Amino acid sequence: MKVFVLGPLEAELKAEAEQFGPDSYRIKSLRAEPGGEALILAYYLKGFGCHVHLSGSVGRDHWGRMITQRARKVADSAHIRTLSISTSFRLKLADLGPQVVELIYEGAGSKLTLSKEELLKLKPDWIHLTSKAVAGRNGRKNLRAAELASEELGSILSVDFATLGKRARLGSSSAIAFCEEGSCEGSSLSSRIAVIAAGERGCYSVVDGEVVQHEGLGRGWGEGSREAFIASFICAYYRTKSVEASCRAANYAAYYKSLRRGLTARIPFKEIMKRAEKAAEEER
């Protein structure tokens, strides 16, 4: 299966810091690695055996070069636009007791663009737009381009609404919508199929208005768990066409990822897909 992914590419910065004033922090060490929804998702899709085309944008700086190099290693093909603004980054300050401070600079990652012609040329079997791909200034245009291309190609379209709620608009009821519990409002539930992530409690599926809970494995999600969850659902659904089996696979992927540190980690990709296929057979 060939999957097209449009989304932000970011530098993930983790700093050990100490507070020495009401609003002042001293950084003791800083570590940077390539990240962003699209790049992490591409890693897990590739692990499940998909052919991945990654599209995103970075700035003309060191982080942009670092991310571009990583993207071309992770994905089978990549279209990385280099813009005149700085690369997006996410800075997490740790060692502040129970408090975790996170600073986000949207930068080049907020300038995502997509055309129908680009998709028609690539001919993907599945088109996935991350939440930032439909939230920015070009969000509606990106979504419309994906809808038109998916209809013409007969491809499956999925959109991650994350916490966008009513701010997003999905015109194609045949698309699959991903969102999070407590933020699924309006358009994200107008899709024929919606998958609602609920962390350690698993997820809910909404198919033609019918809501079903799929129990999780009782472990909270960590960084990268959401991307592993979505990647697993995409690959399982393409193989089985079963929402039930795909939700089970997605819960397993998020669970296994929560056991491992880092944005990306090796999880039992083949075992997860075998479980999905077995569940689909039992369902029939």
PDB file of all heavy atoms in Angstrom, residues 83-102:
ATOM      1  N   LEU A  83      11.587  26.691   3.212  1.00  0.00           N
ATOM      2  CA  LEU A  83      11.037  28.043   3.233  1.00  0.00           C
ATOM      3  C   LEU A  83      12.011  29.024   3.882  1.00  0.00           C
ATOM      4  O   LEU A  83      12.989  28.630   4.522  1.00  0.00           O
ATOM      5  CB  LEU A  83       9.705  28.042   3.994  1.00  0.00           C
ATOM      6  CG  LEU A  83       8.660  27.031   3.516  1.00  0.00           C
ATOM      7  CD1 LEU A  83       7.388  27.156   4.356  1.00  0.00           C
ATOM      8  CD2 LEU A  83       8.332  27.213   2.038  1.00  0.00           C
ATOM      9  N   SER A  84      11.723  30.310   3.723  1.00  0.00           N
ATOM     10  CA  SER A  84      12.615  31.349   4.232  1.00  0.00           C
ATOM     11  C   SER A  84      12.392  31.662   5.708  1.00  0.00           C
ATOM     12  O   SER A  84      13.031  32.546   6.263  1.00  0.00           O
ATOM     13  CB  SER A  84      12.440  32.633   3.409  1.00  0.00           C
ATOM     14  OG  SER A  84      11.091  33.070   3.450  1.00  0.00           O
ATOM     15  N   ILE A  85      11.466  30.964   6.363  1.00  0.00           N
ATOM     16  CA  ILE A  85      11.272  31.155   7.810  1.00  0.00           C
ATOM     17  C   ILE A  85      11.882  29.979   8.559  1.00  0.00           C
ATOM     18  O   ILE A  85      12.242  28.968   7.954  1.00  0.00           O
ATOM     19  CB  ILE A  85       9.778  31.312   8.169  1.00  0.00           C
ATOM     20  CG1 ILE A  85       8.993  30.052   7.761  1.00  0.00           C
ATOM     21  CG2 ILE A  85       9.190  32.539   7.520  1.00  0.00           C
ATOM     22  CD1 ILE A  85       7.547  30.111   8.185  1.00  0.00           C
ATOM     23  N   SER A  86      12.004  30.097   9.862  1.00  0.00           N
ATOM     24  CA  SER A  86      12.676  29.073  10.658  1.00  0.00           C
ATOM     25  C   SER A  86      11.875  27.775  10.737  1.00  0.00           C
ATOM     26  O   SER A  86      10.646  27.769  10.630  1.00  0.00           O
ATOM     27  CB  SER A  86      12.935  29.598  12.074  1.00  0.00           C
ATOM     28  OG  SER A  86      13.760  30.734  12.046  1.00  0.00           O
ATOM     29  N   THR A  87      12.593  26.698  10.947  1.00  0.00           N
ATOM     30  CA  THR A  87      11.971  25.381  11.120  1.00  0.00           C
ATOM     31  C   THR A  87      11.143  25.353  12.409  1.00  0.00           C
ATOM     32  O   THR A  87      11.524  25.953  13.423  1.00  0.00           O
ATOM     33  CB  THR A  87      13.069  24.299  11.182  1.00  0.00           C
ATOM     34  OG1 THR A  87      13.799  24.309   9.952  1.00  0.00           O
ATOM     35  CG2 THR A  87      12.472  22.923  11.412  1.00  0.00           C
ATOM     36  N   SER A  88      10.033  24.657  12.368  1.00  0.00           N
ATOM     37  CA  SER A  88       9.191  24.501  13.563  1.00  0.00           C
ATOM     38  C   SER A  88       9.958  23.745  14.649  1.00  0.00           C
ATOM     39  O   SER A  88      10.768  22.862  14.352  1.00  0.00           O
ATOM     40  CB  SER A  88       7.924  23.724  13.214  1.00  0.00           C
ATOM     41  OG  SER A  88       7.234  24.336  12.152  1.00  0.00           O
ATOM     42  N   PHE A  89       9.672  24.071  15.896  1.00  0.00           N
ATOM     43  CA  PHE A  89      10.273  23.288  16.964  1.00  0.00           C
ATOM     44  C   PHE A  89       9.324  23.196  18.155  1.00  0.00           C
ATOM     45  O   PHE A  89       8.413  24.008  18.332  1.00  0.00           O
ATOM     46  CB  PHE A  89      11.634  23.854  17.398  1.00  0.00           C
ATOM     47  CG  PHE A  89      11.588  25.182  18.096  1.00  0.00           C
ATOM     48  CD1 PHE A  89      11.245  25.284  19.447  1.00  0.00           C
ATOM     49  CD2 PHE A  89      11.924  26.350  17.419  1.00  0.00           C
ATOM     50  CE1 PHE A  89      11.222  26.504  20.097  1.00  0.00           C
ATOM     51  CE2 PHE A  89      11.908  27.589  18.064  1.00  0.00           C
ATOM     52  CZ  PHE A  89      11.545  27.658  19.406  1.00  0.00           C
ATOM     53  N   ARG A  90       9.584  22.191  18.968  1.00  0.00           N
ATOM     54  CA  ARG A  90       8.837  21.951  20.209  1.00  0.00           C
ATOM     55  C   ARG A  90       9.863  21.759  21.315  1.00  0.00           C
ATOM     56  O   ARG A  90      10.674  20.828  21.261  1.00  0.00           O
ATOM     57  CB  ARG A  90       7.961  20.705  20.053  1.00  0.00           C
ATOM     58  CG  ARG A  90       7.045  20.389  21.228  1.00  0.00           C
ATOM     59  CD  ARG A  90       6.299  19.095  20.951  1.00  0.00           C
ATOM     60  NE  ARG A  90       5.496  19.222  19.751  1.00  0.00           N
ATOM     61  CZ  ARG A  90       4.216  19.565  19.738  1.00  0.00           C
ATOM     62  NH1 ARG A  90       3.604  19.844  20.878  1.00  0.00           N
ATOM     63  NH2 ARG A  90       3.553  19.632  18.601  1.00  0.00           N
ATOM     64  N   LEU A  91       9.867  22.654  22.307  1.00  0.00           N
ATOM     65  CA  LEU A  91      10.852  22.614  23.380  1.00  0.00           C
ATOM     66  C   LEU A  91      10.189  22.190  24.685  1.00  0.00           C
ATOM     67  O   LEU A  91       9.240  22.824  25.151  1.00  0.00           O
ATOM     68  CB  LEU A  91      11.497  23.994  23.553  1.00  0.00           C
ATOM     69  CG  LEU A  91      12.412  24.191  24.771  1.00  0.00           C
ATOM     70  CD1 LEU A  91      13.612  23.254  24.723  1.00  0.00           C
ATOM     71  CD2 LEU A  91      12.868  25.639  24.858  1.00  0.00           C
ATOM     72  N   LYS A  92      10.683  21.091  25.265  1.00  0.00           N
ATOM     73  CA  LYS A  92      10.174  20.615  26.546  1.00  0.00           C
ATOM     74  C   LYS A  92      11.234  20.832  27.617  1.00  0.00           C
ATOM     75  O   LYS A  92      12.382  20.413  27.467  1.00  0.00           O
ATOM     76  CB  LYS A  92       9.817  19.135  26.464  1.00  0.00           C
ATOM     77  CG  LYS A  92       8.584  18.847  25.637  1.00  0.00           C
ATOM     78  CD  LYS A  92       8.223  17.374  25.691  1.00  0.00           C
ATOM     79  CE  LYS A  92       6.966  17.083  24.881  1.00  0.00           C
ATOM     80  NZ  LYS A  92       6.602  15.644  24.923  1.00  0.00           N
ATOM     81  N   LEU A  93      10.827  21.492  28.702  1.00  0.00           N
ATOM     82  CA  LEU A  93      11.715  21.717  29.834  1.00  0.00           C
ATOM     83  C   LEU A  93      11.390  20.700  30.927  1.00  0.00           C
ATOM     84  O   LEU A  93      10.275  20.660  31.448  1.00  0.00           O
ATOM     85  CB  LEU A  93      11.540  23.139  30.376  1.00  0.00           C
ATOM     86  CG  LEU A  93      11.792  24.289  29.394  1.00  0.00           C
ATOM     87  CD1 LEU A  93      11.574  25.625  30.096  1.00  0.00           C
ATOM     88  CD2 LEU A  93      13.189  24.217  28.802  1.00  0.00           C
ATOM     89  N   ALA A  94      12.368  19.870  31.262  1.00  0.00           N
ATOM     90  CA  ALA A  94      12.177  18.832  32.274  1.00  0.00           C
ATOM     91  C   ALA A  94      12.916  19.204  33.550  1.00  0.00           C
ATOM     92  O   ALA A  94      13.548  20.257  33.642  1.00  0.00           O
ATOM     93  CB  ALA A  94      12.669  17.498  31.739  1.00  0.00           C
ATOM     94  N   ASP A  95      12.838  18.310  34.549  1.00  0.00           N
ATOM     95  CA  ASP A  95      13.480  18.509  35.851  1.00  0.00           C
ATOM     96  C   ASP A  95      12.920  19.705  36.599  1.00  0.00           C
ATOM     97  O   ASP A  95      13.631  20.393  37.331  1.00  0.00           O
ATOM     98  CB  ASP A  95      15.003  18.671  35.705  1.00  0.00           C
ATOM     99  CG  ASP A  95      15.689  17.350  35.397  1.00  0.00           C
ATOM    100  OD1 ASP A  95      14.979  16.339  35.323  1.00  0.00           O
ATOM    101  OD2 ASP A  95      16.909  17.341  35.229  1.00  0.00           O
ATOM    102  N   LEU A  96      11.628  19.962  36.421  1.00  0.00           N
ATOM    103  CA  LEU A  96      10.984  21.070  37.134  1.00  0.00           C
ATOM    104  C   LEU A  96       9.945  20.527  38.111  1.00  0.00           C
ATOM    105  O   LEU A  96       8.919  21.146  38.360  1.00  0.00           O
ATOM    106  CB  LEU A  96      10.314  22.018  36.130  1.00  0.00           C
ATOM    107  CG  LEU A  96      11.249  22.672  35.105  1.00  0.00           C
ATOM    108  CD1 LEU A  96      10.451  23.472  34.089  1.00  0.00           C
ATOM    109  CD2 LEU A  96      12.259  23.573  35.810  1.00  0.00           C
ATOM    110  N   GLY A  97      10.236  19.335  38.659  1.00  0.00           N
ATOM    111  CA  GLY A  97       9.281  18.696  39.552  1.00  0.00           C
ATOM    112  C   GLY A  97       8.117  18.147  38.748  1.00  0.00           C
ATOM    113  O   GLY A  97       8.293  17.649  37.638  1.00  0.00           O
ATOM    114  N   PRO A  98       6.895  18.227  39.283  1.00  0.00           N
ATOM    115  CA  PRO A  98       5.731  17.709  38.551  1.00  0.00           C
ATOM    116  C   PRO A  98       5.374  18.560  37.332  1.00  0.00           C
ATOM    117  O   PRO A  98       4.635  18.134  36.458  1.00  0.00           O
ATOM    118  CB  PRO A  98       4.614  17.763  39.605  1.00  0.00           C
ATOM    119  CG  PRO A  98       5.037  18.848  40.544  1.00  0.00           C
ATOM    120  CD  PRO A  98       6.527  18.768  40.602  1.00  0.00           C
ATOM    121  N   GLN A  99       5.922  19.762  37.272  1.00  0.00           N
ATOM    122  CA  GLN A  99       5.591  20.684  36.186  1.00  0.00           C
ATOM    123  C   GLN A  99       6.433  20.379  34.942  1.00  0.00           C
ATOM    124  O   GLN A  99       7.632  20.170  35.015  1.00  0.00           O
ATOM    125  CB  GLN A  99       5.841  22.126  36.633  1.00  0.00           C
ATOM    126  CG  GLN A  99       5.506  23.163  35.569  1.00  0.00           C
ATOM    127  CD  GLN A  99       5.862  24.570  36.014  1.00  0.00           C
ATOM    128  OE1 GLN A  99       6.563  24.743  37.001  1.00  0.00           O
ATOM    129  NE2 GLN A  99       5.378  25.559  35.295  1.00  0.00           N
ATOM    130  N   VAL A 100       5.772  20.342  33.779  1.00  0.00           N
ATOM    131  CA  VAL A 100       6.462  20.207  32.497  1.00  0.00           C
ATOM    132  C   VAL A 100       6.091  21.409  31.642  1.00  0.00           C
ATOM    133  O   VAL A 100       4.923  21.660  31.366  1.00  0.00           O
ATOM    134  CB  VAL A 100       6.063  18.903  31.758  1.00  0.00           C
ATOM    135  CG1 VAL A 100       6.752  18.854  30.395  1.00  0.00           C
ATOM    136  CG2 VAL A 100       6.446  17.695  32.589  1.00  0.00           C
ATOM    137  N   VAL A 101       7.081  22.173  31.256  1.00  0.00           N
ATOM    138  CA  VAL A 101       6.860  23.360  30.434  1.00  0.00           C
ATOM    139  C   VAL A 101       7.162  23.008  28.984  1.00  0.00           C
ATOM    140  O   VAL A 101       8.217  22.443  28.678  1.00  0.00           O
ATOM    141  CB  VAL A 101       7.751  24.531  30.890  1.00  0.00           C
ATOM    142  CG1 VAL A 101       7.554  25.736  29.960  1.00  0.00           C
ATOM    143  CG2 VAL A 101       7.423  24.903  32.333  1.00  0.00           C
ATOM    144  N   GLU A 102       6.238  23.315  28.084  1.00  0.00           N
ATOM    145  CA  GLU A 102       6.429  23.031  26.669  1.00  0.00           C
ATOM    146  C   GLU A 102       6.206  24.302  25.858  1.00  0.00           C
ATOM    147  O   GLU A 102       5.172  24.960  25.989  1.00  0.00           O
ATOM    148  CB  GLU A 102       5.467  21.936  26.202  1.00  0.00           C
ATOM    149  CG  GLU A 102       5.668  21.529  24.756  1.00  0.00           C
ATOM    150  CD  GLU A 102       4.844  20.310  24.380  1.00  0.00           C
ATOM    151  OE1 GLU A 102       5.317  19.185  24.624  1.00  0.00           O
ATOM    152  OE2 GLU A 102       3.740  20.482  23.848  1.00  0.00           O
TER     153      GLU A 102
END
